[in-house]
Amino acid sequence: MSVTTANDDTPAGPSVSHQSVPHQVNRLIFDAGQPYEKFLSRFEAVVPPMDPRLPLDCAWRHARWPGIVPEADLSRRHGFVLYWRADMAALMTADGELRPCTGYLMGNQAIAQKIYRQDPAVMLYAPLRALIYIDASDRTRFAVDQPSTVFASFADPAIARLGIGLDGQLAELLEAVGVQAGPLLQVAHVRKRFRIADTAIAGTTIQDH
């Protein structure tokens, strides 16, 4: 990955500075192997919407995420909550019948909080954007950019580790709704489990710095 910086600091005009950061992202598209409405219901059952009252309450109480959502509740949700949902076909204005497509913004508040401390620019990609749709072959698909490849673009080891952690959580979520996660996410899933096991044996607490 290369970073290009341009500066124009001539007396005739204001100083202008920008960066161009080329990076590669893996778009993951999974075959749900289920009817659209059934898969939609399963997905939304395990990734419920965030309580709309929580952001205001958090700001008022200066609360941390662990104090707002119990750990058991996060486990039930496979680490993700929904911040936004939209019927994309209904938003389009075109002649003819459009294939069903539902868009989501989903995330893990605890992880987002950690990577935000490292670099607020990560909010370009947090929460994650995901789609459930029917493709041209009438198959139900789930699409999302692979978190580890998205966050690797920041060239920060701490952010990269958290991105790999999100890969593992995404694999667990897909397994919960009956979808094979595939080799890339399975590797992250295994790494996450080894980290948890090693930490339990050592009697320490997992922390990402």
Side-chain angles (χ1 to χ4, degrees), residues 27-201:
R27 181 181 303 124
L28 305 178
I29 303 174
F30 299 94
D31 187 347
Q34 305 165 47
Y36 178 81
E37 293 295 342
K38 178 181 179 180
F39 183 67
L40 206 73
S41 296
R42 292 186 70 178
F43 176 79
E44 293 181 4
V46 297
V47 189
M50 183 177 180
D51 188 334
R53 298 169 298 176
L54 286 179
L56 180 60
D57 291 345
C58 295
W60 181 259
R61 295 187 288 113
H62 300 285
R64 295 294 185 185
W65 182 251
I68 300 165
V69 179
E71 184 177 347
D73 196 36
L74 276 175
S75 175
R76 180 182 66 82
R77 299 172 184 218
H78 301 281
F80 292 105
V81 294
L82 290 183
Y83 296 95
W84 175 83
R85 176 194 188 278
D87 180 349
M88 305 305 291
L91 295 176
M92 300 294 102
T93 55
D95 295 333
E97 184 177 349
L98 297 176
R99 294 182 181 278
C101 177
T102 304
Y104 301 95
L105 290 178
M106 67 178 192
N108 179 303
Q109 185 82 5
I111 291 180
Q113 193 176 79
K114 291 177 182 178
I115 58 179
Y116 181 86
R117 292 194 193 106
Q118 295 295 124
D119 186 347
V122 297
M123 304 314 289
L124 279 168
Y125 307 108
L128 302 173
R129 184 168 184 173
L131 286 177
I132 296 174
Y133 63 97
I134 294 181
D135 68 9
S137 301
D138 292 323
R139 293 176 295 186
T140 303
R141 298 287 201 172
F142 176 81
V144 63
D145 286 340
Q146 185 176 358
S148 62
T149 63
V150 168
F151 293 116
S153 66
F154 291 91
D156 183 315
I159 293 175
R161 284 198 302 272
L162 291 168
I164 292 172
L166 282 172
D167 277 10
Q169 288 188 341
L170 183 58
E172 291 177 356
L173 168 61
L174 290 169
E175 289 171 5
V177 294
V179 175
Q180 293 295 320
L184 291 176
L185 287 179
Q186 288 291 359
V187 168
H189 189 25
V190 169
R191 284 178 181 171
K192 180 184 175 187
R193 289 196 179 279
F194 277 146
R195 282 189 63 205
I196 293 172
D198 290 344
T199 302
I201 292 171

